[in-house]
Amino acid sequence: MTLRIYDTAQRAKRVFEPQDPARITLYVCGPTPYNYAHIGNARPPIVFDVLRRVLASQYGASAIVYARNITDIEDKLITASLETGEPIAAIAQKFAKIYNDDAAALNVAPPTIEPWATAHVPEMIGMIEKLVRKKYAYVGKQGVWFAVGSMPDYGKLSGRRQEDNEAGARVEIDSDKRDPADFALWKFAKPGEPDDAIWDSPWGRGRPGWHVECSAMAAKHLGKTIDIHGGGVDLQFPHHENEIAQSECAHGQVMANYWMHNGFLDMGGEKMSKSLGNVVLVHDLLKAWPGEVVRFAMLSGHYRAALDWNEDLLKQAKTTLDRLYGALRRVWGEEGGDARDRGVLKALSDDLNTPEALAELSRLASEANTAADQKDHDAMANARANLLAAGALLGLLTKTPKDWEQGADADENARIDGLVQARIDARSARDWTEADRIRDALAAEGIEIMDGPSGSTWRRV
């Protein structure tokens, strides 16, 4: 099935044509692990996890080489180290692990490659040397700067013209620069900065600029030209624009053939920010909601559009997933089956149209319920296969229906199973008062008993 994706650089949907179908390269900007990630940070890993699944369905999982970096050289990490007294590496390792654990809870598969910036400083220095040698960069008193004016088509990704980058507008004024739009490739160390944030270089001790980190890591692991580069829309300018400038001027070839950017999350109609006090941390959210609920909510809007994030969105996601798992439960016992439905893949192949894909998943659930009502075992087996295959493309329906509805606490589940059995025994003995008491006690705990022809089971509500 033909995959079409919206290319930010071309401002249009394009048919995806890989350089090498046996090695498809995808680079997505990863976290700066200085603190817990907020919910907006979770959108790129979920979006590009779906893209990876779609690519794998068409080219094979082994053909996808997906790199998502760890930015462990950054001013925020230096600040955190100075404030806490902890080494930068300890802070970065702690929060990178939390980030990856939270991503796993969201059913995000780990990347093929996870390059850390600190392990690639020699490659960054090599790229900067090349840019200086080719006259795209110059050495100042505070560092090495990329000369934006040396690249005639700078701004082609974002559509920003050089004259738009006026001093004092979005670009920091710095007397060391020849032009206010020039950006740092290497920053000389300042007094009081920790030793673990300083490296030797041909120009003096210091550290690489943020933008050159991704350019060097992408080139080393994926090649000078990669198939797809992704990230949040906030990275389009200046980060991705500057990546293009560094990479293309250093290598003399296109950095990426396709650029993809996901939209912002809005919190009650406002952009999330610390000043507004509406920052929601992924780590905290996962204590209150199953990861699959958060993922479903994130996929309920098209990835390029802004998504209004609120409690109702999560409640609706939970309700819908309960219904999907309920349908899967009704056909769960039917092994085999042939997953032939292409509706979800068709929707995702149209620029990751997840709202349409989720609608198709609901349609498959309705087919499963119909097959179960009719006791058509062949149709039930096919419905089960279709639901699981469609869910796998979206990273949903990854649990058994029982685990979804009852949870994974074996001791607690055994206790509830005992109470349900006691209610069954009471009903058999026509002790309706006791049976109702047990039912009401479980209901007070958020446990719903479901009586059916095959017996009684339960779920958490």
Side-chain angles (χ1 to χ4, degrees):
M1 189 170 294
T2 302
L3 171 62
R4 300 174 73 237
I5 56 179
Y6 185 88
D7 179 11
T8 307
Q10 298 295 323
R11 294 163 180 77
K13 285 185 188 179
R14 297 174 55 205
V15 173
F16 176 65
E17 296 178 350
Q19 301 171 91
D20 178 2
R23 188 177 186 271
I24 296 169
T25 50
L26 169 63
Y27 187 95
V28 176
C29 292
T32 300
Y34 71 99
N35 208 330
Y36 294 98
H38 61 69
I39 187 60
N41 299 139
R43 199 173 194 189
I46 291 174
V47 166
F48 292 104
D49 182 71
V50 173
L51 175 64
R52 180 190 194 175
R53 291 166 187 263
V54 173
L55 290 169
S57 74
Q58 300 192 33
Y59 297 97
S62 62
I64 315 305
V65 185
Y66 174 23
R68 188 183 69 217
N69 69 292
I70 299 290
T71 301
D72 59 332
I73 305 174
E74 215 270 348
D75 292 350
K76 294 184 180 70
L77 273 164
I78 293 175
T79 300
S81 178
L82 292 173
E83 289 177 349
T84 64
E86 291 184 79
I88 289 175
I91 296 171
Q93 289 165 8
K94 171 186 173 181
F95 286 109
K97 183 181 186 306
I98 291 170
Y99 178 91
N100 285 330
D101 288 347
D102 288 347
L106 297 170
N107 293 342
V108 172
T112 316
I113 303 165
E114 187 182 64
W116 287 58
T118 48
H120 296 78
V121 174
E123 288 82 2
M124 297 171 201
I125 291 174
M127 176 172 278
I128 298 169
E129 286 180 317
K130 187 177 291 187
L131 290 169
V132 171
R133 187 169 62 248
K134 296 174 76 171
K135 309 298 184 184
Y136 288 110
Y138 58 92
V139 182
K141 295 180 180 179
Q142 298 176 22
V144 182
W145 306 93
F146 184 92
V148 167
S150 66
M151 183 182 184
D153 57 352
Y154 180 85
K156 61 184 178 180
L157 177 67
S158 62
R160 293 174 62 92
R161 300 169 300 175
Q162 290 189 33
E163 51 266 37
D164 293 334
N165 299 326
E166 298 175 358
R170 290 185 55 135
V171 181
E172 180 184 355
I173 298 174
D174 196 317
S175 59
D176 196 40
K177 301 179 184 180
R178 295 175 183 172
D179 185 286
D182 295 349
F183 59 89
L185 298 171
W186 188 265
K187 301 177 180 180
F188 293 151
K190 297 176 182 178
E193 291 184 335
D195 289 341
D196 52 354
I198 300 173
W199 287 263
D200 291 327
S201 83
W203 317 282
R205 286 171 59 75
R207 63 183 182 278
W210 171 37
H211 311 301
V212 76
E213 297 178 23
C214 285
S215 287
M217 289 186 284
K220 177 177 181 178
H221 294 286
L222 302 182
K224 294 178 180 178
T225 297
I226 61 180
D227 287 310
I228 303 172
H229 195 315
V233 68
D234 55 315
L235 298 181
Q236 184 176 329
F237 183 89
H239 185 51
H240 289 167
E241 197 73 75
N242 292 347
E243 280 190 59
I244 289 173
Q246 298 158 158
S247 298
E248 297 190 359
C249 289
H251 302 140
Q253 61 193 68
V254 171
M255 181 185 185
N257 288 330
Y258 299 83
W259 287 86
M260 297 178 69
H261 294 92
N262 62 269
F264 286 117
L265 292 189
D266 290 332
M267 312 299 288
E270 296 179 318
K271 182 180 175 181
M272 184 166 48
S273 70
K274 290 182 180 178
S275 61
L276 294 174
N278 60 359
V279 175
V280 177
L281 301 179
V282 178
H283 200 65
D284 291 340
L285 197 64
L286 289 171
K287 295 175 183 177
W289 298 92
E292 207 161 295
V293 169
V294 178
R295 184 183 180 100
F296 189 103
M298 196 72 75
L299 297 178
S300 64
H302 193 278
Y303 79 93
R304 284 192 287 116
L307 179 63
D308 191 9
W309 191 265
N310 53 57
E311 189 87 356
D312 288 341
L313 183 68
L314 290 162
K315 290 178 180 178
Q316 181 59 50
K318 176 66 165 61
T319 298
T320 304
L321 278 168
D322 286 344
R323 185 172 63 82
L324 293 172
Y325 271 106
L328 185 60
R329 171 171 42 80
R330 299 189 69 197
V331 296
W332 189 251
E334 304 296 331
E335 299 293 339
D338 185 11
R340 295 182 177 181
D341 186 272
R342 309 288 285 177
V344 171
L345 181 58
K346 180 180 178 182
L348 294 177
S349 296
D350 181 16
D351 193 34
L352 303 186
N353 190 337
T354 54
E356 183 177 331
L358 293 176
E360 285 293 316
L361 190 61
S362 288
R363 182 183 62 78
L364 292 176
S366 296
E367 289 184 358
N369 283 324
T370 298
D373 288 341
Q374 296 174 350
K375 295 183 174 54
D376 184 334
H377 295 288
D378 288 339
M380 289 167 68
N382 290 334
R384 179 183 188 270
N386 279 337
L387 279 171
L388 292 176
L393 282 170
L394 290 158
L396 302 173
L397 301 182
T398 61
K399 300 178 182 296
T400 67
K402 182 176 181 179
D403 283 347
W404 174 261
E405 293 178 342
Q406 298 185 359
D409 188 331
D411 291 340
E412 178 65 6
N413 290 352
R415 180 186 71 84
I416 297 171
D417 285 340
L419 290 171
V420 171
Q421 184 59 51
R423 176 177 175 271
I424 292 172
D425 294 342
R427 285 163 61 91
S428 297
R430 296 184 175 275
D431 187 349
W432 309 117
T433 300
E434 177 62 8
D436 290 346
R437 186 195 66 77
I438 295 173
R439 180 200 62 202
D440 293 343
L442 287 172
E445 295 183 34
I447 305 299
E448 177 187 2
I449 296 178
M450 298 173 289
D451 297 317
S454 58
S456 297
T457 185
W458 60 272
R459 65 181 178 186
R460 300 180 188 277
V461 294

